[in-house]
Amino acid sequence: MDARFLGIADLVEAPSVAVVVDVMRAFTVTAWAFAQGAEKIVLAESLDEALALKARHPDWVALKDGPPAPGFDTVNSPGLLRSIDLGGRTVVQKTTAGTVGALAVKEAPLVLCASFVVAEATAQLLQTRKSDSVTFVVTGDDGQADEDLACAQYIARRATEAGTDAAEFLRRAAKSRAAAELAEGVRQGVHPDDVALCLEVDRFPFAMVATLEGSLMVLRPRAMPSLTDEDPV
């Protein structure tokens, strides 16, 4: 598998397969939303679009980066989201990097959104598709976020080499600037458990596939049978 690792600004054309990585915290949050029962997640272009969608669909759950704001139900924090029952709900998400990265490759035939919590399932989906070329979109820090690059490199390695150890990749993510900013309270809308939750490798047995549904980019979970059918340990 030919893997390329690009920042959002480096994308010049729609790749055949795109894996958009945002570890801290957009695509850890989306995984938790699905675990909490969400049916789908709409990736909004802007805060105004997110609020407009919420206004048209009052039962949808809107979330954003940063501190709480009028019109939004919650913020982009896995630690906060894990206590919310989202059974059958639609979530509207707008973040600084993750949603921007996904929308930048919306014309790609296959778009996966990923973080460490769904790394194995994402790698398995890439294996089943037998993708010759995969573009990993490193969303944070203008393509320089080491937590996102480490996760992307881990997924790429795991898709081609069974038994790849995640430890070194997780260590890099734990030492990243994003992890420090979350831990030190530099960013707003943060739960104390956020960093630890973002570093839980393979917590969920599904990948996350984004597709255009009309004019909206919609994210849905894709269960991987080889993970869900395993006997309990």
Side-chain angles (χ1 to χ4, degrees):
M1 185 181 77
D2 176 28
R4 297 191 303 161
F5 305 91
L6 301 177
I8 297 171
D10 300 321
L11 295 164
V12 294
E13 60 184 4
S16 57
V17 178
V19 180
V20 187
V21 181
D22 189 325
V23 173
M24 297 185 185
R25 296 163 285 171
F27 298 139
T28 301
V29 166
T30 53
W32 271 99
F34 290 130
Q36 293 300 104
E39 177 187 351
K40 64 183 179 181
I41 296 169
V42 176
L43 306 178
E45 294 264 7
S46 65
L47 294 176
D48 286 344
E49 183 189 30
L51 289 174
L53 287 167
K54 171 71 175 178
R56 291 202 298 272
H57 306 278
D59 58 324
W60 288 12
V61 177
L63 65 85
K64 60 177 282 293
D65 272 339
F72 287 89
D73 301 285
T74 187
V75 294
N76 193 47
S77 161
L80 295 171
L81 198 72
R82 64 183 171 174
S83 63
I84 301 175
D85 180 7
L86 296 172
R89 307 284 293 277
T90 294
V91 174
V92 181
Q93 183 188 44
K94 170 67 179 87
T95 70
T96 307
T99 58
V100 176
L103 289 163
V105 291
K106 63 184 179 182
E107 302 298 336
L110 177 62
V111 179
L112 307 180
C113 295
S115 61
F116 279 111
V117 296
V118 293
E120 172 73 3
T122 305
Q124 289 202 8
L125 184 53
L126 292 174
Q127 288 176 327
T128 63
R129 293 299 181 97
K130 296 180 170 40
S131 305
D132 293 329
S133 177
V134 178
T135 296
F136 290 85
V137 182
V138 179
T139 61
D141 223 2
D142 295 323
Q144 302 301 309
D146 201 36
E147 74 281 3
D148 293 341
L149 181 58
C151 182
Q153 291 172 336
Y154 172 64
I155 293 171
R157 183 83 61 84
R158 183 63 191 82
T160 55
E161 298 178 24
T164 298
D165 189 356
E168 180 56 34
F169 300 96
L170 290 169
R171 276 195 292 271
R172 284 169 54 194
K175 293 178 180 178
S176 67
R177 186 172 77 173
E181 289 179 350
L182 289 171
E184 294 165 9
V186 173
R187 301 188 184 186
Q188 294 181 289
V190 178
H191 186 280
D193 293 341
D194 277 357
V195 172
L197 292 173
C198 290
L199 298 177
E200 286 188 329
V201 69
D202 304 332
R203 169 139 192 166
F204 303 116
F206 53 80
M208 299 185 294
V209 182
T211 55
L212 281 171
E213 298 184 13
S215 63
L216 299 177
M217 191 70 162
V218 178
L219 191 62
R220 296 181 187 272
R222 178 78 57 85
M224 299 307 295
S226 60
L227 296 176
T228 56
D229 292 348
E230 288 182 353
D231 293 331
V233 176

